[in-house]
């Protein structure tokens, strides 16, 4: 075989609680920001689909775990819903939730599927959002307690824990770019949220290390930034995009300190959040065991076309413009570029800049609109998804042959699921979900992925 992968490589898929569990009468789940905003700001969601109509993992976890086993997965990531486990975020534990998560985790373990459990996937309990969410320092303590509750309740069934999925997103989408609730547009508040999320991550890791022996990590983007040209102005633009959107978070998590260049810029524009010396000491002492990397698209940038209004709202976009590269290959459903070579660049970056830490691809995938158009004889013939995964794996394979410590590949996602804003517009799953009947049917890519797992590679 041309592309072989190690014997213990993690093969599987990822989802998140809010996107896949669905809600049942009497499940005693508390409201989170998505339950709230998908109703209150319904017009912001594709076809107005709310979290009431997400997939049915809560009810059908047994059948779903069997579906994973049918594809020979050896691992699977989902998250615990904070507001399901602790409805108001800080008080009583919901025993229905404990039963569900324990049963689901037992089911995975029995089927030989290693659960990768994430604590936070964009889903702040509404009661805590009312207190300011991660903008409020008190919520760091609430998160720490929630994390400790999860470790106590489920650690006997979980060997791989993750604190956050894409921690930059709640800050960037919720407080700067008006995509996620609370739809604030204010850089300093976004920076405060991100700093507090980093501290919450550190606190959870610290609690875990004090009492448990498994692995703990985090899931982030390491989006490579590609400048339009080697012109110094384009290079500077790329440097700034990288500083704000990648290094700010990644160096805090992976190198134990924010990049030194950040503070003078934030101070110059009066955007520096409150950061204490105790905060910096905690960041410095926190390390992780395993890094998950989500990759969908590259970031291409160029020098600014026009001067910015420095009296306007501060933004990292003051320093660069996005670059629409002529001839780029597009996923037109999602409106994003497809660039598999970035898998290699990401792996190299981890190898060269971040100590070649153990890592895995925790999400990669292609969301396609109107996928029913590809159904033939009852099955979605998604050859485009097979090609997409193949190409990405080929570049990953090359980096691994050159010494990258990549331990696995998880697809986004297992069964088509609801997504933030886009709801069910773009389908990503190895299984198709029929929204009318709730029926789940395997796609051609799912069967292909099974052969890759069983053969430990492909030609
Ligand atoms: C990832 C998120 O970044 O993108 C997932 O971690 C999300 O939660 C996925 O569903 C796809 O997003 P979208 O917006 O294309 O549906």
């Amino acid at each position: 075989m041309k592309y072989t992968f190690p014997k213990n490589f993690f093969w599987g898929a990822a989802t998140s609680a809010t996107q896949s569990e669905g809600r049942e009468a009497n499940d005693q789940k508390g409201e989170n920001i998505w339950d709230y905003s998908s109703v209150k700001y319904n017009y912001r969601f594709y076809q107005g689909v709310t979290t009431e109509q997400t997939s049915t993992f809560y009810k059908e976890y047994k059948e779903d775990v069997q579906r994973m086993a049918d594809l020979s997965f050896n691992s699977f990531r989902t998250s615990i819903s904070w507001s399901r486990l602790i409805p108001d975020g800080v008080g009583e534990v919901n025993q229905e939730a404990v039963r569900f998560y324990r049963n689901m985790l037992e089911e995975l373990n029995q089927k030989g599927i290693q659960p990768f459990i994430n604590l936070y996937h964009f889903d702040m309990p509404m009661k805590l959002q009312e207190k300011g969410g991660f903008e409020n320092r008190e919520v760091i303590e609430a998160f720490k307690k929630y994390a400790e509750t999860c470790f106590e309740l489920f650690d006997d069934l979980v060997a791989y824990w993750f604190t956050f999925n894409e921690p930059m997103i709640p800050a960037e989408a919720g407080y700067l770019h008006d995509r996620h609730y609370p739809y604030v547009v204010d850089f300093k508040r976004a920076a405060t949220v991100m700093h507090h999320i980093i501290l919450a991550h550190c606190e959870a890791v610290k609690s875990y290390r004090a009492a448990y022996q498994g692995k703990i990590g985090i899931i982030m983007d390491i989006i490579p930034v590609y400048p339009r040209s080697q012109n110094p102005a384009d290079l500077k633009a790329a440097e700034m995009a990288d500083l704000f959107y990648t290094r700010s978070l990644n160096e805090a998590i992976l190198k134990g300190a924010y990049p030194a260049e950040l503070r003078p810029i934030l101070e110059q524009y009066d955007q520096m959040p409150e950061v204490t010396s105790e905060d910096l000491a905690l960041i410095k002492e926190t390390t992780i065991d395993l890094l998950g990397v989500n990759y969908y698209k590259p970031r291409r940038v160029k020098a600014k076309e026009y001067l910015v209004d420095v009296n306007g709202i501060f933004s990292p976009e003051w320093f660069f413009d996005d670059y629409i590269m002529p001839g780029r290959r597009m996923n037109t459903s999602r409106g994003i570029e497809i660039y598999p070579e970035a898998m290699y660049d990401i792996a190299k970056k981890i190898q060269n800049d971040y100590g070649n830490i153990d890592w895995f691809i925790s999400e990669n995938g292609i969301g396609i609109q109107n996928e029913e158009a590809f159904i033939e004889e009852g099955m979605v013939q998604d050859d485009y998804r097979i090609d997409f995964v193949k190409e990405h794996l080929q570049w990953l394979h090359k980096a691994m042959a050159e010494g990258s410590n990549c331990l696995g590949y998880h697809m986004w996602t297992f069964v088509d699921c609801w997504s933030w804003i886009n709801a069910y517009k773009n389908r990503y799953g190895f299984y198709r979900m029929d929204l009318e009947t709730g029926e789940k049917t395997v796609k051609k890519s799912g069967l292909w992925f099974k052969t890759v797992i069983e053969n430990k590679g492909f030609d």
Side-chain angles (χ1 to χ4, degrees):
M1 226 177 326
K2 203 161 163 202
Y3 301 99
T4 51
F5 289 82
K7 201 164 133 259
N8 298 326
F9 204 63
F10 302 128
W11 292 108
T15 190
S16 83
T18 302
Q19 295 178 264
S20 64
E21 287 177 1
R23 299 195 60 170
E24 288 296 300
N26 307 323
D27 66 12
Q28 291 168 44
K29 180 185 174 304
E31 196 178 38
N32 69 27
I33 56 172
W34 295 98
D35 303 320
Y36 174 79
S37 63
S38 66
V39 173
K40 169 98 179 163
Y41 299 92
N42 192 254
Y43 56 88
R44 284 178 174 259
F45 293 79
Y46 183 72
Q47 292 180 339
V49 181
T50 70
T51 56
E52 285 288 334
Q53 293 146 274
T54 61
S55 317
T56 46
F57 191 55
Y58 186 79
K59 196 169 70 185
E60 292 183 7
Y61 70 89
K62 272 196 180 166
E63 295 83 346
D64 281 347
V65 171
Q66 184 55 50
R67 289 183 179 101
M68 295 175 206
D70 289 345
L71 297 193
S72 301
F73 282 14
N74 61 18
S75 46
F76 168 67
R77 169 169 62 109
T78 189
S79 62
I80 290 172
S81 161
W82 187 351
S83 64
R84 182 185 292 286
L85 190 67
I86 307 175
D88 67 0
V90 285
E92 290 288 300
V93 168
N94 166 11
Q95 294 306 325
E96 288 297 319
V98 177
R99 259 190 295 279
F100 163 64
Y101 286 119
R102 285 202 65 86
N103 289 343
M104 182 268 285
L105 292 167
E106 272 163 14
E107 197 68 25
L108 284 165
N109 282 310
Q110 274 165 20
K111 293 261 155 49
I113 300 170
Q114 186 77 252
F116 284 26
I117 295 300
N118 176 35
L119 297 175
Y120 190 90
H121 199 124
F122 308 167
D123 52 349
M124 180 61 71
M126 202 54 207
K127 284 276 186 250
L128 292 179
Q129 188 62 44
E130 284 162 7
K131 295 184 181 163
F134 275 120
E135 212 178 335
N136 180 347
R137 260 184 192 260
E138 283 173 26
V139 174
I140 301 173
E141 186 59 26
F143 181 79
K144 178 178 178 227
K145 293 222 170 85
Y146 156 63
E148 288 170 353
T149 306
C150 292
F151 302 149
E152 267 166 47
L153 288 168
F154 309 121
D155 189 68
D156 58 322
L157 298 169
V158 178
Y160 295 91
W161 288 96
F162 299 89
T163 54
F164 285 85
N165 177 78
E166 297 181 4
M168 173 134 342
I169 296 292
E172 175 270 316
Y175 291 83
L176 185 60
H177 288 147
D178 191 37
R179 298 201 314 277
H180 293 184
Y181 188 78
Y183 311 123
V184 170
V185 180
D186 182 324
F187 181 88
K188 193 170 178 178
R189 292 177 65 183
T192 303
V193 168
M194 197 180 88
H195 179 58
H196 290 172
I197 288 179
I198 292 171
L199 296 178
H201 155 80
C202 295
E203 291 289 2
V205 171
K206 198 167 162 185
S207 294
Y208 186 75
R209 291 262 169 74
Y212 305 93
Q213 276 76 48
K215 305 258 185 218
I216 187 155
I218 192 166
I219 287 156
M220 310 193 297
D221 287 327
I222 301 201
I223 300 185
V225 184
Y226 300 101
R228 167 178 56 183
S229 75
Q230 294 302 302
N231 182 306
D234 282 341
L235 294 179
K236 183 69 192 170
E239 199 186 292
M240 294 303 270
D242 196 36
L243 177 65
F244 276 102
Y245 285 127
T246 311
R247 293 178 53 213
S248 58
L249 171 70
N250 294 4
E251 293 192 6
I253 301 286
L254 300 173
K255 290 184 162 179
Y258 288 114
E261 303 93 306
L262 206 51
R263 182 185 276 263
I265 302 172
L266 298 189
E267 282 177 348
Q268 181 185 347
Y269 295 101
D270 193 23
Q271 298 295 325
M272 186 66 198
E274 187 197 295
V275 176
T276 68
S277 51
E278 289 80 23
D279 295 349
L280 295 177
L282 178 63
I283 290 172
K284 191 166 180 197
E285 73 185 30
T286 307
T287 57
I288 57 164
D289 302 310
L290 181 60
L291 170 68
V293 175
N294 293 353
Y295 172 67
Y296 290 90
K297 62 172 195 300
R299 187 191 292 283
R300 296 192 190 276
V301 303
K302 63 182 180 184
K304 292 289 305 172
E305 295 274 335
Y306 302 104
L307 292 174
V308 292
D309 172 10
V310 290
N311 296 317
I313 297 171
F314 178 84
S315 165
E317 282 74 18
W318 279 14
F319 304 99
F320 66 89
D321 279 345
D322 287 332
Y323 174 51
I324 312 290
M325 187 177 75
R328 70 193 174 140
R329 182 173 152 202
M330 288 292 288
N331 168 5
T332 48
S333 295
R334 185 62 179 80
I336 58 177
E337 183 180 343
I338 297 175
Y339 188 64
E341 290 92 321
M343 293 293 256
Y344 178 80
D345 295 340
I346 290 170
K348 282 290 163 192
K349 211 171 176 38
I350 296 170
Q351 198 168 354
N352 299 330
D353 296 354
Y354 300 126
N356 208 8
I357 186 174
D358 283 349
W359 70 288
F360 72 111
I361 286 290
S362 41
E363 285 181 29
N364 181 221
I366 179 166
I368 298 292
Q369 195 172 1
N370 298 329
E371 228 182 11
E372 52 283 0
F374 297 92
I375 296 178
E376 274 171 37
E377 292 169 16
M379 185 185 280
V380 178
Q381 304 293 322
D382 52 346
D383 293 276
Y384 43 85
R385 186 166 285 111
I386 296 173
D387 294 343
F388 178 96
V389 177
K390 257 190 193 169
E391 282 185 74
H392 283 77
L393 282 174
Q394 283 164 2
W395 284 101
L396 192 60
H397 185 271
K398 178 173 159 63
M400 289 171 66
E402 293 173 21
S404 171
N405 286 326
C406 179
L407 306 185
Y409 177 91
H410 278 183
M411 184 73 168
W412 186 271
T413 183
F414 164 54
V415 177
D416 291 342
C417 67
W418 183 89
S419 194
W420 330 101
I421 307 172
N422 287 327
Y424 279 97
K425 175 173 172 277
N426 302 316
R427 303 306 187 93
Y428 282 88
F430 279 138
Y431 282 84
R432 176 170 173 79
M433 165 108 175
D434 185 317
L435 294 188
E436 302 287 305
T437 64
E439 197 193 357
K440 297 166 183 171
T441 45
V442 73
K443 301 179 191 174
K444 186 175 176 184
S445 61
L447 297 180
W448 172 79
F449 198 63
K450 175 183 167 73
T451 66
V452 175
I453 300 174
E454 288 172 0
N455 299 332
K456 301 186 180 14
F458 60 96
D459 272 321

